Amino acid sequence: MTRTVYVNGEYLPEDQATISIFDRGFLFADGVYEVTSVLDGKLIDFAGHARRLQRSLDELEMANPVTEEDLLEIHRELVRANGLTEGLIYLQVTRGAADRDFAYPSEDTQPTIVLFTQAKAGLADNPMAKTGMKVISIADERWGRRDIKTVQLLYPSMGKMAAKAAGAHDAWMVEDGVVTEGTSNNAYIVKGNTIITRHLGHEILHGITRAAVLRMAREAQMKVEERPFTMEEAKAADEAFVTSASTFVMPVVEIDGTPVGGGTPGKVAARLREIYLDEMRKVAV
Ligand code: PMP
C-alpha cells in the first residue's frame, strides 16, 4: 500500500514526497524527531511527545514550524488517511535546506517537517512481552547531549547490529561503569520491591514512557529509585525491563548471557505493562 505522508504542509503519496539534498538533517544530522504510538486508532501520550519536541527544538535553537494544535491535526489526518489502527507515527524536524556551512543558516530558513506512519499489528499484544528480550552490554559512545532527541542514530544502529550478531535483541550502553540506557529505550532493574533506573540528565533521553511509567509505579505504591546501576547489579537483579513509545514496558530476561530473575519475565514488568496500557488507552487522543 502506498502511504500518505506529510511534507512541509502537504499530504502526499510516499513516492512523491521529497526534500532537498541540501537539507541539514541529511548533511549535519541537524534535526530532531519524535515517535508516537497509535492504539485503537488513537495517539498515546501525544502531549508528552509534543512537549519533548519543543524542548529538543529549544535546546538546538531551532524553529518549530507548527503549533501543537496543528501537529495534533497532522497526526490525526495521517491516522485517518492511512487507516492506521495500531502502529507508530514518526515526526522529523530539521533546520531546513541551506548552502552547506557549519554555521546555522539565517533565521528565515524554513525548517523541514516530515511525518510518516508505520503500521504494526500486535504492538500491544507483542509476543515478546511473554517471553522477554535478551540484551548485551556495549560501551556508550554517543555524543554528550542524549537528552535532545536528535536524528543522530548511527551509534544506536551499530548497537542493534552488535546485539543481533550476538543473538540478542538489544544492547544496554555502559559509561563510567554504569548503565545509561538501551539503544532505543530506557533501562530498569528491580531488586526486592524497588524499581531502579538511571536519573535524568544529559546522559540519557528523557523517555516519555519512562515519565508515565514511573508516575504510575509511584501511584501504585511501588518504590522507585532514580540512580545509576552497574551491569553486575543488573545481572543479580530480580527483574529487568525497558520502556519506550514502541515497546511500552518490555521485560528483559537475559543480560550478557546471564539469565535475570530465572530467565522469565517478572511480575513488576508485567504489572506495569498492564497498568500503562490500560491508563494510556483511556486518555489516548
Ligand atoms: N532512550 C533512547 C535512546 C531512545 O531512543 C528512546 C526511544 N525513542 C527512549 C529512551 C525511550 O523514549 P520514549 O519512551 O519517549 O519512546
Side-chain angles (χ1 to χ4, degrees):
M1 190 188 97
T2 304
R3 274 174 296 189
T4 297
V5 302
Y6 177 89
V7 187
N8 298 327
E10 287 189 286
Y11 294 94
L12 295 169
E14 64 181 84
D15 52 5
Q16 286 171 36
T18 56
I19 59 166
S20 166
I21 67 156
F22 296 109
D23 194 278
R24 291 181 59 92
F26 177 58
L27 297 179
F28 294 101
D30 189 359
V32 301
Y33 78 112
E34 278 298 329
V35 187
T36 305
S37 61
V38 173
L39 293 178
D40 314 316
K42 288 189 170 175
L43 303 161
I44 300 298
D45 212 343
F46 172 79
H49 291 283
R51 210 175 310 124
R52 185 174 58 192
L53 170 69
Q54 190 58 56
R55 181 179 181 277
S56 293
L57 292 168
D58 289 344
E59 291 297 313
L60 296 173
E61 297 169 50
M62 207 182 283
N64 190 343
V66 283
T67 63
E68 185 172 333
E69 218 179 350
D70 290 341
L71 200 58
L72 177 57
E73 187 44 42
I74 299 165
H75 277 77
R76 283 182 165 157
E77 178 53 25
L78 286 181
V79 167
R80 199 200 56 73
N82 293 298
L84 189 67
T85 51
E86 197 158 346
L88 303 168
I89 303 189
Y90 284 83
L91 152 72
Q92 318 266 141
V93 178
T94 78
R95 207 180 300 274
D99 200 21
R100 194 184 189 286
D101 188 351
F102 279 92
Y104 296 170
S106 70
E107 285 188 356
D108 54 11
T109 306
Q110 271 300 108
T112 300
I113 175 166
V114 169
L115 284 93
F116 60 89
T117 56
Q118 257 186 7
K120 275 207 187 336
L123 202 61
D125 281 329
N126 192 333
M128 203 184 277
K130 298 263 174 344
T131 52
M133 51 192 272
K134 299 177 180 179
V135 301
I136 58 163
S137 62
I138 59 170
D140 196 337
E141 295 181 355
R142 297 172 299 165
W143 80 323
R145 289 302 306 274
R146 302 156 193 161
D147 57 311
I148 308 173
K149 195 165 171 62
T150 75
V151 298
Q152 303 173 60
L153 295 175
L154 184 54
Y155 193 71
S157 199
M158 290 164 72
K160 296 266 189 210
M161 292 306 290
K164 205 170 161 185
H169 303 97
D170 200 7
W172 279 10
M173 295 179 281
V174 177
E175 185 175 58
D176 301 330
V178 289
V179 175
T180 50
E181 59 188 332
T183 62
S184 60
N185 44 59
N186 291 113
Y188 307 72
I189 56 171
V190 180
K191 191 74 187 168
N193 299 321
T194 308
I195 299 164
I196 302 157
T197 193
R198 168 95 189 195
H199 57 282
L200 297 180
H202 288 175
E203 301 80 11
I204 64 166
L205 185 74
H206 302 187
I208 299 305
T209 319
R210 176 189 185 281
V213 165
L214 291 187
R215 174 174 55 75
M216 290 169 194
R218 286 177 171 125
E219 282 168 7
Q221 316 301 326
M222 298 180 191
K223 209 174 144 225
V224 176
E225 268 179 33
E226 294 180 64
R227 61 157 175 90
F229 60 86
T230 63
M231 283 301 286
E232 286 59 44
E233 209 180 345
K235 286 185 209 163
D238 297 321
E239 277 187 44
F241 63 93
V242 297
T243 65
S244 74
S246 57
T247 62
F248 311 121
V249 178
M250 192 56 74
V252 169
V253 295
E254 193 182 296
I255 301 177
D256 275 342
T258 303
V260 176
T264 52
K267 287 198 196 81
V268 173
R271 172 120 192 268
L272 286 174
R273 184 178 175 89
E274 195 183 315
I275 299 175
Y276 178 82
L277 284 169
D278 278 359
E279 294 285 309
M280 294 320 257
R281 277 187 204 270
K282 276 187 216 153
V283 295
V285 296

